[in-house]
């Protein structure tokens, strides 16, 4: 991707981030969007905020803009821009996103790595159409 951009005279960089652990606290499209909007309002999970700031700094550097993304999150102007962008496209930035009707909160009784958890969930069913059996013990 970097070569593609560079070959077309577009300043391009790649940032490699860890995919070994989940980011934030939410799993699922609508609640992940809500979590991202929390970050734009100056709150949200620390890890999502830190990655957002790092990515924003890179984008600003690429176009030669000197600004502090953390300050824009904290003063509410990042959220204001998001609000205007959604509105300009005919969307409703204040719309409540539809979420699943059923929700489970899973609390670990001990520290469990993401890879252990995904192995557990994967091992608890035979195929995508089968339900996940959450009562399995982690090996």
């Amino acid at each position: 991707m970097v070569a593609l951009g560079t070959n077309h005279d577009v300043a391009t960089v790649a940032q490699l981030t860890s995919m070994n652990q989940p980011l934030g606290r939410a799993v699922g499209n609508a609640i992940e969007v809500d979590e991202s909007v929390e970050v734009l309002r100056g709150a949200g999970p620390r890890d999502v905020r830190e990655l957002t700031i790092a990515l924003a700094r890179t984008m600003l550097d690429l176009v030669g803009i000197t600004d502090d993304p953390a300050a824009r999150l904290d003063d509410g102007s990042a959220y204001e821009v998001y609000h205007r962008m959604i509105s300009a496209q005919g969307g409703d930035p204040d719309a409540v996103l539809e979420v699943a009707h059923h929700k489970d909160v899973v609390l670990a009784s001990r520290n469990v790595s993401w890879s252990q958890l995904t192995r557990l969930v994967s091992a608890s069913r035979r195929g995508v159409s089968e339900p996940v059996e959450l009562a399995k013990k982690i090996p």
Side-chain angles (χ1 to χ4, degrees), residues 34-103:
D34 286 344
E35 190 172 73
S36 297
V37 172
E38 284 180 34
V39 171
L40 291 174
R41 290 182 173 189
R46 188 184 69 210
D47 57 345
V48 178
R49 178 184 164 89
E50 289 171 358
L51 181 59
T52 300
I53 292 168
L55 294 171
R57 282 192 177 124
T58 299
M59 289 186 285
L60 292 174
D61 287 346
L62 285 171
V63 295
I65 296 174
T66 304
D67 200 351
D68 180 8
R72 298 307 130 239
L73 293 175
D74 293 338
D75 70 11
S77 60
Y79 176 75
E80 290 171 11
V81 170
Y82 159 81
H83 205 276
R84 287 195 312 265
M85 287 172 59
I86 300 300
S87 297
Q89 296 176 59
D92 178 1
D94 299 315
V96 176
L97 301 176
E98 188 174 338
V99 297
H101 298 288
H102 180 78
K103 177 172 87 171

Short mmCIF file of all heavy atoms in Angstrom, two decimals, residues 34-103:
data_model
loop_
_atom_site.label_atom_id
_atom_site.label_comp_id
_atom_site.label_asym_id
_atom_site.label_seq_id
_atom_site.Cartn_x
_atom_site.Cartn_y
_atom_site.Cartn_z
N ASP A 34 -20.15 3.46 19.01
CA ASP A 34 -20.45 4.28 20.19
C ASP A 34 -19.17 4.55 20.99
O ASP A 34 -18.95 5.66 21.47
CB ASP A 34 -21.49 3.60 21.09
CG ASP A 34 -22.89 3.66 20.51
OD1 ASP A 34 -23.14 4.48 19.60
OD2 ASP A 34 -23.74 2.88 20.99
N GLU A 35 -18.34 3.53 21.13
CA GLU A 35 -17.09 3.68 21.87
C GLU A 35 -16.16 4.67 21.16
O GLU A 35 -15.51 5.50 21.81
CB GLU A 35 -16.42 2.30 21.99
CG GLU A 35 -15.26 2.24 22.92
CD GLU A 35 -14.79 0.81 23.12
OE1 GLU A 35 -14.18 0.25 22.18
OE2 GLU A 35 -15.05 0.26 24.21
N SER A 36 -16.12 4.61 19.84
CA SER A 36 -15.30 5.55 19.07
C SER A 36 -15.81 6.98 19.22
O SER A 36 -15.01 7.92 19.32
CB SER A 36 -15.29 5.16 17.59
OG SER A 36 -14.70 3.89 17.44
N VAL A 37 -17.12 7.15 19.25
CA VAL A 37 -17.70 8.48 19.44
C VAL A 37 -17.36 8.99 20.84
O VAL A 37 -17.08 10.18 21.02
CB VAL A 37 -19.22 8.47 19.16
CG1 VAL A 37 -19.86 9.80 19.55
CG2 VAL A 37 -19.49 8.15 17.69
N GLU A 38 -17.33 8.10 21.83
CA GLU A 38 -16.90 8.50 23.17
C GLU A 38 -15.50 9.10 23.12
O GLU A 38 -15.23 10.12 23.77
CB GLU A 38 -16.86 7.29 24.12
CG GLU A 38 -18.16 6.79 24.61
CD GLU A 38 -17.97 5.58 25.54
OE1 GLU A 38 -16.95 5.53 26.27
OE2 GLU A 38 -18.82 4.69 25.51
N VAL A 39 -14.61 8.48 22.35
CA VAL A 39 -13.24 8.99 22.22
C VAL A 39 -13.26 10.37 21.59
O VAL A 39 -12.56 11.29 22.04
CB VAL A 39 -12.36 8.00 21.43
CG1 VAL A 39 -11.01 8.62 21.10
CG2 VAL A 39 -12.17 6.70 22.21
N LEU A 40 -14.08 10.56 20.55
CA LEU A 40 -14.17 11.87 19.90
C LEU A 40 -14.68 12.94 20.86
O LEU A 40 -14.41 14.12 20.68
CB LEU A 40 -15.06 11.80 18.67
CG LEU A 40 -14.51 10.99 17.50
CD1 LEU A 40 -15.55 10.87 16.40
CD2 LEU A 40 -13.22 11.61 16.98
N ARG A 41 -15.41 12.51 21.88
CA ARG A 41 -15.93 13.46 22.89
C ARG A 41 -14.94 13.66 24.04
O ARG A 41 -15.27 14.33 25.02
CB ARG A 41 -17.26 12.95 23.44
CG ARG A 41 -18.36 13.02 22.43
CD ARG A 41 -19.67 12.54 23.04
NE ARG A 41 -20.74 12.78 22.08
CZ ARG A 41 -22.01 12.65 22.36
NH1 ARG A 41 -22.40 12.28 23.56
NH2 ARG A 41 -22.91 12.87 21.43
N GLY A 42 -13.76 13.04 23.95
CA GLY A 42 -12.75 13.24 24.98
C GLY A 42 -12.74 12.18 26.06
O GLY A 42 -12.03 12.32 27.06
N ALA A 43 -13.50 11.13 25.90
CA ALA A 43 -13.56 10.06 26.90
C ALA A 43 -13.17 8.75 26.22
O ALA A 43 -12.30 8.74 25.36
CB ALA A 43 -14.95 9.99 27.50
N GLY A 44 -13.82 7.67 26.60
CA GLY A 44 -13.57 6.37 25.97
C GLY A 44 -12.39 5.64 26.56
O GLY A 44 -11.64 6.18 27.38
N PRO A 45 -12.21 4.40 26.13
CA PRO A 45 -11.11 3.58 26.65
C PRO A 45 -9.74 4.17 26.30
O PRO A 45 -9.54 4.69 25.21
CB PRO A 45 -11.30 2.23 25.96
CG PRO A 45 -12.68 2.24 25.43
CD PRO A 45 -13.05 3.67 25.20
N ARG A 46 -8.82 4.07 27.24
CA ARG A 46 -7.49 4.64 27.05
C ARG A 46 -6.79 4.11 25.82
O ARG A 46 -6.19 4.86 25.06
CB ARG A 46 -6.64 4.40 28.29
CG ARG A 46 -5.30 5.14 28.24
CD ARG A 46 -4.42 4.83 29.41
NE ARG A 46 -3.99 3.45 29.27
CZ ARG A 46 -3.72 2.63 30.26
NH1 ARG A 46 -3.81 3.03 31.48
NH2 ARG A 46 -3.35 1.39 30.02
N ASP A 47 -6.87 2.78 25.57
CA ASP A 47 -6.13 2.22 24.44
C ASP A 47 -6.69 2.71 23.10
O ASP A 47 -5.93 2.99 22.17
CB ASP A 47 -6.09 0.69 24.50
CG ASP A 47 -7.46 0.02 24.54
OD1 ASP A 47 -8.47 0.70 24.79
OD2 ASP A 47 -7.51 -1.21 24.33
N VAL A 48 -8.00 2.88 23.01
CA VAL A 48 -8.60 3.39 21.77
C VAL A 48 -8.20 4.85 21.58
O VAL A 48 -7.84 5.27 20.48
CB VAL A 48 -10.14 3.25 21.79
CG1 VAL A 48 -10.77 3.84 20.53
CG2 VAL A 48 -10.54 1.79 21.95
N ARG A 49 -8.22 5.60 22.65
CA ARG A 49 -7.81 7.01 22.60
C ARG A 49 -6.34 7.13 22.16
O ARG A 49 -6.02 7.94 21.29
CB ARG A 49 -8.02 7.65 23.96
CG ARG A 49 -7.58 9.10 24.02
CD ARG A 49 -7.75 9.64 25.45
NE ARG A 49 -7.01 10.86 25.64
CZ ARG A 49 -7.49 12.08 25.39
NH1 ARG A 49 -8.72 12.21 24.94
NH2 ARG A 49 -6.75 13.15 25.59
N GLU A 50 -5.46 6.33 22.75
CA GLU A 50 -4.04 6.40 22.41
C GLU A 50 -3.79 6.07 20.94
O GLU A 50 -3.01 6.75 20.27
CB GLU A 50 -3.23 5.47 23.31
CG GLU A 50 -3.13 5.96 24.74
CD GLU A 50 -2.51 4.95 25.69
OE1 GLU A 50 -2.16 3.82 25.25
OE2 GLU A 50 -2.37 5.28 26.88
N LEU A 51 -4.45 5.05 20.42
CA LEU A 51 -4.29 4.70 19.02
C LEU A 51 -4.87 5.79 18.12
O LEU A 51 -4.27 6.15 17.11
CB LEU A 51 -4.94 3.35 18.71
CG LEU A 51 -4.79 2.88 17.26
CD1 LEU A 51 -3.31 2.75 16.86
CD2 LEU A 51 -5.52 1.56 17.06
N THR A 52 -6.00 6.34 18.50
CA THR A 52 -6.62 7.42 17.73
C THR A 52 -5.67 8.61 17.63
O THR A 52 -5.48 9.19 16.55
CB THR A 52 -7.96 7.85 18.38
OG1 THR A 52 -8.83 6.71 18.40
CG2 THR A 52 -8.60 9.01 17.63
N ILE A 53 -5.06 8.98 18.74
CA ILE A 53 -4.13 10.10 18.76
C ILE A 53 -2.91 9.80 17.90
O ILE A 53 -2.46 10.66 17.11
CB ILE A 53 -3.74 10.45 20.21
CG1 ILE A 53 -4.95 11.03 20.95
CG2 ILE A 53 -2.55 11.42 20.25
CD1 ILE A 53 -4.77 11.14 22.45
N ALA A 54 -2.36 8.59 18.00
CA ALA A 54 -1.19 8.23 17.20
C ALA A 54 -1.50 8.29 15.71
O ALA A 54 -0.72 8.82 14.92
CB ALA A 54 -0.70 6.83 17.59
N LEU A 55 -2.65 7.74 15.31
CA LEU A 55 -3.04 7.78 13.89
C LEU A 55 -3.28 9.21 13.42
O LEU A 55 -2.86 9.59 12.32
CB LEU A 55 -4.28 6.92 13.66
CG LEU A 55 -4.10 5.42 13.88
CD1 LEU A 55 -5.46 4.71 13.83
CD2 LEU A 55 -3.14 4.81 12.88
N ALA A 56 -3.93 10.01 14.24
CA ALA A 56 -4.20 11.41 13.87
C ALA A 56 -2.90 12.19 13.73
O ALA A 56 -2.74 12.98 12.79
CB ALA A 56 -5.12 12.06 14.90
N ARG A 57 -1.95 11.96 14.63
CA ARG A 57 -0.65 12.66 14.52
C ARG A 57 0.03 12.31 13.20
O ARG A 57 0.59 13.19 12.54
CB ARG A 57 0.25 12.29 15.70
CG ARG A 57 -0.11 13.02 16.95
CD ARG A 57 0.94 12.87 18.04
NE ARG A 57 0.54 13.67 19.19
CZ ARG A 57 0.38 13.19 20.41
NH1 ARG A 57 0.62 11.93 20.67
NH2 ARG A 57 0.00 14.00 21.38
N THR A 58 -0.01 11.05 12.84
CA THR A 58 0.61 10.63 11.57
C THR A 58 -0.07 11.32 10.39
O THR A 58 0.61 11.83 9.49
CB THR A 58 0.53 9.10 11.41
OG1 THR A 58 1.26 8.50 12.49
CG2 THR A 58 1.12 8.65 10.09
N MET A 59 -1.40 11.34 10.38
CA MET A 59 -2.12 11.98 9.27
C MET A 59 -1.81 13.47 9.20
O MET A 59 -1.60 14.02 8.11
CB MET A 59 -3.63 11.75 9.41
CG MET A 59 -4.03 10.31 9.15
SD MET A 59 -5.82 10.05 9.13
CE MET A 59 -6.19 10.12 10.87
N LEU A 60 -1.77 14.14 10.33
CA LEU A 60 -1.45 15.56 10.34
C LEU A 60 -0.03 15.81 9.84
O LEU A 60 0.21 16.75 9.08
CB LEU A 60 -1.64 16.14 11.74
CG LEU A 60 -3.09 16.20 12.25
CD1 LEU A 60 -3.12 16.65 13.71
CD2 LEU A 60 -3.93 17.11 11.37
N ASP A 61 0.92 14.98 10.28
CA ASP A 61 2.31 15.11 9.82
C ASP A 61 2.39 14.96 8.31
O ASP A 61 3.13 15.68 7.65
CB ASP A 61 3.21 14.06 10.49
CG ASP A 61 3.48 14.36 11.95
OD1 ASP A 61 3.22 15.50 12.40
OD2 ASP A 61 3.95 13.44 12.66
N LEU A 62 1.64 14.00 7.76
CA LEU A 62 1.68 13.76 6.31
C LEU A 62 1.25 14.97 5.49
O LEU A 62 1.73 15.17 4.38
CB LEU A 62 0.81 12.55 5.94
CG LEU A 62 1.39 11.19 6.28
CD1 LEU A 62 0.33 10.10 6.07
CD2 LEU A 62 2.63 10.90 5.45
N VAL A 63 0.34 15.76 6.03
CA VAL A 63 -0.15 16.92 5.28
C VAL A 63 0.42 18.23 5.80
O VAL A 63 0.00 19.31 5.37
CB VAL A 63 -1.70 16.96 5.25
CG1 VAL A 63 -2.25 15.77 4.49
CG2 VAL A 63 -2.28 17.05 6.65
N GLY A 64 1.37 18.14 6.73
CA GLY A 64 2.06 19.33 7.20
C GLY A 64 1.26 20.22 8.13
O GLY A 64 1.49 21.42 8.20
N ILE A 65 0.34 19.65 8.87
CA ILE A 65 -0.45 20.43 9.83
C ILE A 65 0.11 20.20 11.23
O ILE A 65 0.31 19.06 11.64
CB ILE A 65 -1.94 20.03 9.79
CG1 ILE A 65 -2.54 20.38 8.43
CG2 ILE A 65 -2.72 20.71 10.92
CD1 ILE A 65 -3.97 19.90 8.24
N THR A 66 0.36 21.29 11.92
CA THR A 66 0.84 21.20 13.30
C THR A 66 -0.34 21.44 14.22
O THR A 66 -0.90 22.54 14.25
CB THR A 66 1.93 22.27 13.56
OG1 THR A 66 2.96 22.09 12.60
CG2 THR A 66 2.50 22.13 14.95
N ASP A 67 -0.74 20.40 14.92
CA ASP A 67 -1.85 20.51 15.86
C ASP A 67 -1.72 19.36 16.85
O ASP A 67 -0.94 18.43 16.63
CB ASP A 67 -3.20 20.45 15.14
CG ASP A 67 -4.35 21.02 15.97
OD1 ASP A 67 -4.14 21.32 17.17
OD2 ASP A 67 -5.46 21.17 15.43
N ASP A 68 -2.46 19.42 17.91
CA ASP A 68 -2.42 18.39 18.95
C ASP A 68 -3.75 17.63 18.96
O ASP A 68 -4.75 18.16 19.46
CB ASP A 68 -2.16 19.03 20.31
CG ASP A 68 -2.09 18.01 21.43
OD1 ASP A 68 -2.10 16.78 21.16
OD2 ASP A 68 -2.03 18.44 22.60
N PRO A 69 -3.77 16.42 18.40
CA PRO A 69 -5.02 15.66 18.37
C PRO A 69 -5.62 15.43 19.75
O PRO A 69 -6.84 15.45 19.90
CB PRO A 69 -4.63 14.33 17.72
CG PRO A 69 -3.37 14.61 17.00
CD PRO A 69 -2.68 15.71 17.75
N ALA A 70 -4.79 15.24 20.76
CA ALA A 70 -5.31 15.02 22.11
C ALA A 70 -6.10 16.25 22.58
O ALA A 70 -7.17 16.12 23.18
CB ALA A 70 -4.17 14.72 23.08
N ALA A 71 -5.59 17.43 22.26
CA ALA A 71 -6.29 18.66 22.63
C ALA A 71 -7.62 18.77 21.91
O ALA A 71 -8.62 19.21 22.48
CB ALA A 71 -5.42 19.88 22.33
N ARG A 72 -7.68 18.34 20.65
CA ARG A 72 -8.93 18.39 19.88
C ARG A 72 -9.96 17.41 20.43
O ARG A 72 -11.17 17.68 20.38
CB ARG A 72 -8.70 18.10 18.39
CG ARG A 72 -7.80 19.05 17.65
CD ARG A 72 -8.22 20.51 17.79
NE ARG A 72 -7.06 21.30 18.19
CZ ARG A 72 -6.94 22.04 19.28
NH1 ARG A 72 -7.93 22.15 20.12
NH2 ARG A 72 -5.84 22.68 19.55
N LEU A 73 -9.50 16.27 20.95
CA LEU A 73 -10.43 15.34 21.59
C LEU A 73 -10.96 15.96 22.88
O LEU A 73 -12.15 15.92 23.16
CB LEU A 73 -9.75 14.00 21.89
CG LEU A 73 -9.34 13.16 20.70
CD1 LEU A 73 -8.56 11.92 21.17
CD2 LEU A 73 -10.53 12.75 19.86
N ASP A 74 -10.04 16.54 23.66
CA ASP A 74 -10.41 17.07 24.97
C ASP A 74 -11.30 18.31 24.90
O ASP A 74 -12.14 18.50 25.77
CB ASP A 74 -9.15 17.37 25.79
CG ASP A 74 -8.38 16.12 26.15
OD1 ASP A 74 -8.99 15.02 26.16
OD2 ASP A 74 -7.17 16.23 26.41
N ASP A 75 -11.11 19.15 23.88
CA ASP A 75 -11.91 20.38 23.82
C ASP A 75 -13.23 20.20 23.07
O ASP A 75 -14.01 21.14 22.93
CB ASP A 75 -11.10 21.55 23.24
CG ASP A 75 -10.80 21.42 21.75
OD1 ASP A 75 -11.37 20.55 21.06
OD2 ASP A 75 -9.97 22.22 21.26
N GLY A 76 -13.49 18.99 22.58
CA GLY A 76 -14.76 18.71 21.91
C GLY A 76 -14.79 19.03 20.43
O GLY A 76 -15.76 18.72 19.75
N SER A 77 -13.74 19.64 19.90
CA SER A 77 -13.77 20.02 18.48
C SER A 77 -13.70 18.80 17.56
O SER A 77 -14.23 18.84 16.45
CB SER A 77 -12.68 21.03 18.15
OG SER A 77 -11.40 20.52 18.41
N ALA A 78 -13.06 17.71 17.99
CA ALA A 78 -13.03 16.49 17.16
C ALA A 78 -14.45 15.95 16.99
O ALA A 78 -14.86 15.57 15.89
CB ALA A 78 -12.12 15.43 17.78
N TYR A 79 -15.23 15.96 18.06
CA TYR A 79 -16.61 15.50 17.97
C TYR A 79 -17.44 16.44 17.09
O TYR A 79 -18.27 15.98 16.32
CB TYR A 79 -17.24 15.38 19.36
CG TYR A 79 -18.70 15.01 19.27
CD1 TYR A 79 -19.07 13.70 18.95
CD2 TYR A 79 -19.70 15.96 19.43
CE1 TYR A 79 -20.42 13.36 18.81
CE2 TYR A 79 -21.04 15.61 19.31
CZ TYR A 79 -21.39 14.32 19.00
OH TYR A 79 -22.70 13.98 18.87
N GLU A 80 -17.19 17.73 17.19
CA GLU A 80 -17.93 18.69 16.36
C GLU A 80 -17.67 18.43 14.87
O GLU A 80 -18.60 18.50 14.06
CB GLU A 80 -17.54 20.12 16.72
CG GLU A 80 -18.04 20.56 18.08
CD GLU A 80 -17.48 21.90 18.52
OE1 GLU A 80 -16.86 22.61 17.69
OE2 GLU A 80 -17.66 22.23 19.70
N VAL A 81 -16.43 18.12 14.52
CA VAL A 81 -16.10 17.82 13.12
C VAL A 81 -16.81 16.54 12.69
O VAL A 81 -17.39 16.47 11.60
CB VAL A 81 -14.57 17.70 12.92
CG1 VAL A 81 -14.24 17.14 11.55
CG2 VAL A 81 -13.91 19.06 13.13
N TYR A 82 -16.78 15.51 13.53
CA TYR A 82 -17.50 14.26 13.24
C TYR A 82 -18.98 14.57 12.99
O TYR A 82 -19.58 14.09 12.02
CB TYR A 82 -17.33 13.29 14.42
CG TYR A 82 -18.37 12.21 14.49
CD1 TYR A 82 -18.29 11.07 13.69
CD2 TYR A 82 -19.46 12.31 15.36
CE1 TYR A 82 -19.26 10.07 13.76
CE2 TYR A 82 -20.42 11.32 15.44
CZ TYR A 82 -20.32 10.21 14.63
OH TYR A 82 -21.28 9.23 14.70
N HIS A 83 -19.57 15.36 13.85
CA HIS A 83 -20.98 15.71 13.76
C HIS A 83 -21.27 16.39 12.42
O HIS A 83 -22.23 16.04 11.72
CB HIS A 83 -21.34 16.63 14.93
CG HIS A 83 -22.78 16.61 15.32
ND1 HIS A 83 -23.73 17.37 14.69
CD2 HIS A 83 -23.43 15.89 16.26
CE1 HIS A 83 -24.91 17.15 15.25
NE2 HIS A 83 -24.75 16.24 16.20
N ARG A 84 -20.43 17.35 12.04
CA ARG A 84 -20.62 18.06 10.77
C ARG A 84 -20.43 17.12 9.57
O ARG A 84 -21.16 17.23 8.58
CB ARG A 84 -19.65 19.24 10.66
CG ARG A 84 -20.02 20.40 11.57
CD ARG A 84 -19.29 21.69 11.23
NE ARG A 84 -17.87 21.55 11.02
CZ ARG A 84 -16.92 21.75 11.95
NH1 ARG A 84 -17.27 22.12 13.17
NH2 ARG A 84 -15.64 21.61 11.67
N MET A 85 -19.46 16.21 9.65
CA MET A 85 -19.20 15.28 8.54
C MET A 85 -20.40 14.36 8.30
O MET A 85 -20.82 14.16 7.16
CB MET A 85 -17.95 14.44 8.82
CG MET A 85 -16.67 15.22 8.69
SD MET A 85 -15.22 14.28 9.24
CE MET A 85 -15.27 12.87 8.16
N ILE A 86 -20.96 13.82 9.36
CA ILE A 86 -22.11 12.92 9.22
C ILE A 86 -23.31 13.71 8.68
O ILE A 86 -24.01 13.26 7.77
CB ILE A 86 -22.46 12.25 10.57
CG1 ILE A 86 -21.29 11.41 11.07
CG2 ILE A 86 -23.72 11.40 10.44
CD1 ILE A 86 -20.85 10.29 10.17
N SER A 87 -23.53 14.90 9.21
CA SER A 87 -24.64 15.75 8.75
C SER A 87 -24.49 16.12 7.28
O SER A 87 -25.47 16.10 6.52
CB SER A 87 -24.73 17.01 9.60
OG SER A 87 -25.02 16.68 10.94
N ALA A 88 -23.27 16.46 6.86
CA ALA A 88 -23.02 16.87 5.47
C ALA A 88 -23.32 15.74 4.49
O ALA A 88 -23.62 15.98 3.33
CB ALA A 88 -21.57 17.32 5.31
N GLN A 89 -23.28 14.50 4.96
CA GLN A 89 -23.57 13.35 4.10
C GLN A 89 -25.03 12.91 4.22
O GLN A 89 -25.41 11.85 3.71
CB GLN A 89 -22.65 12.18 4.47
CG GLN A 89 -21.19 12.49 4.22
CD GLN A 89 -20.29 11.38 4.67
OE1 GLN A 89 -20.42 10.24 4.21
NE2 GLN A 89 -19.40 11.68 5.59
N GLY A 90 -25.84 13.72 4.89
CA GLY A 90 -27.26 13.41 5.02
C GLY A 90 -27.58 12.46 6.14
O GLY A 90 -28.71 12.00 6.27
N GLY A 91 -26.60 12.17 6.98
CA GLY A 91 -26.83 11.25 8.10
C GLY A 91 -27.24 11.98 9.35
O GLY A 91 -27.19 13.21 9.44
N ASP A 92 -27.66 11.21 10.34
CA ASP A 92 -28.05 11.76 11.63
C ASP A 92 -26.98 11.35 12.64
O ASP A 92 -26.97 10.22 13.10
CB ASP A 92 -29.41 11.21 12.05
CG ASP A 92 -29.84 11.71 13.42
OD1 ASP A 92 -29.10 12.50 14.05
OD2 ASP A 92 -30.92 11.29 13.87
N PRO A 93 -26.08 12.27 12.99
CA PRO A 93 -25.00 11.91 13.91
C PRO A 93 -25.47 11.58 15.31
O PRO A 93 -24.73 10.99 16.10
CB PRO A 93 -24.11 13.15 13.91
CG PRO A 93 -24.99 14.26 13.47
CD PRO A 93 -26.02 13.66 12.56
N ASP A 94 -26.72 11.91 15.62
CA ASP A 94 -27.25 11.61 16.95
C ASP A 94 -28.15 10.37 16.95
O ASP A 94 -28.74 10.05 17.98
CB ASP A 94 -28.04 12.82 17.48
CG ASP A 94 -27.16 14.04 17.61
OD1 ASP A 94 -26.03 13.91 18.13
OD2 ASP A 94 -27.59 15.13 17.17
N ALA A 95 -28.22 9.69 15.82
CA ALA A 95 -29.07 8.50 15.73
C ALA A 95 -28.57 7.43 16.69
O ALA A 95 -27.36 7.24 16.87
CB ALA A 95 -29.07 7.96 14.31
N VAL A 96 -29.52 6.75 17.29
CA VAL A 96 -29.17 5.62 18.15
C VAL A 96 -29.01 4.40 17.25
O VAL A 96 -29.90 4.06 16.47
CB VAL A 96 -30.28 5.37 19.21
CG1 VAL A 96 -29.97 4.14 20.03
CG2 VAL A 96 -30.45 6.60 20.08
N LEU A 97 -27.84 3.78 17.32
CA LEU A 97 -27.57 2.63 16.48
C LEU A 97 -28.21 1.38 17.06
O LEU A 97 -28.23 1.19 18.28
CB LEU A 97 -26.06 2.43 16.35
CG LEU A 97 -25.30 3.61 15.74
CD1 LEU A 97 -23.80 3.33 15.76
CD2 LEU A 97 -25.78 3.89 14.34
N GLU A 98 -28.75 0.56 16.19
CA GLU A 98 -29.40 -0.66 16.63
C GLU A 98 -28.35 -1.66 17.11
O GLU A 98 -27.34 -1.89 16.45
CB GLU A 98 -30.21 -1.27 15.50
CG GLU A 98 -31.06 -2.44 15.95
CD GLU A 98 -31.98 -2.94 14.86
OE1 GLU A 98 -32.28 -2.19 13.92
OE2 GLU A 98 -32.38 -4.11 14.96
N VAL A 99 -28.60 -2.23 18.27
CA VAL A 99 -27.70 -3.23 18.83
C VAL A 99 -28.45 -4.55 18.98
O VAL A 99 -29.68 -4.59 18.90
CB VAL A 99 -27.11 -2.79 20.19
CG1 VAL A 99 -26.25 -1.55 20.05
CG2 VAL A 99 -28.20 -2.57 21.21
N ALA A 100 -27.70 -5.60 19.21
CA ALA A 100 -28.31 -6.92 19.39
C ALA A 100 -29.31 -6.89 20.54
O ALA A 100 -29.14 -6.18 21.53
CB ALA A 100 -27.23 -7.96 19.66
N HIS A 101 -30.35 -7.68 20.41
CA HIS A 101 -31.37 -7.73 21.46
C HIS A 101 -30.89 -8.53 22.66
O HIS A 101 -31.39 -8.36 23.76
CB HIS A 101 -32.66 -8.36 20.91
CG HIS A 101 -33.26 -7.55 19.81
ND1 HIS A 101 -33.87 -6.33 20.03
CD2 HIS A 101 -33.33 -7.76 18.48
CE1 HIS A 101 -34.29 -5.83 18.88
NE2 HIS A 101 -33.97 -6.67 17.92
N HIS A 102 -29.92 -9.38 22.45
CA HIS A 102 -29.39 -10.20 23.53
C HIS A 102 -27.94 -9.81 23.76
O HIS A 102 -27.18 -9.66 22.81
CB HIS A 102 -29.48 -11.68 23.18
CG HIS A 102 -28.95 -12.57 24.25
ND1 HIS A 102 -29.65 -12.86 25.39
CD2 HIS A 102 -27.77 -13.22 24.36
CE1 HIS A 102 -28.92 -13.66 26.16
NE2 HIS A 102 -27.78 -13.88 25.55
N LYS A 103 -27.56 -9.63 25.00
CA LYS A 103 -26.19 -9.23 25.31
C LYS A 103 -25.71 -10.02 26.51
O LYS A 103 -26.45 -10.20 27.48
CB LYS A 103 -26.16 -7.73 25.61
CG LYS A 103 -24.80 -7.22 26.02
CD LYS A 103 -24.78 -5.70 26.12
CE LYS A 103 -25.21 -5.22 27.46
NZ LYS A 103 -25.02 -3.78 27.68
#
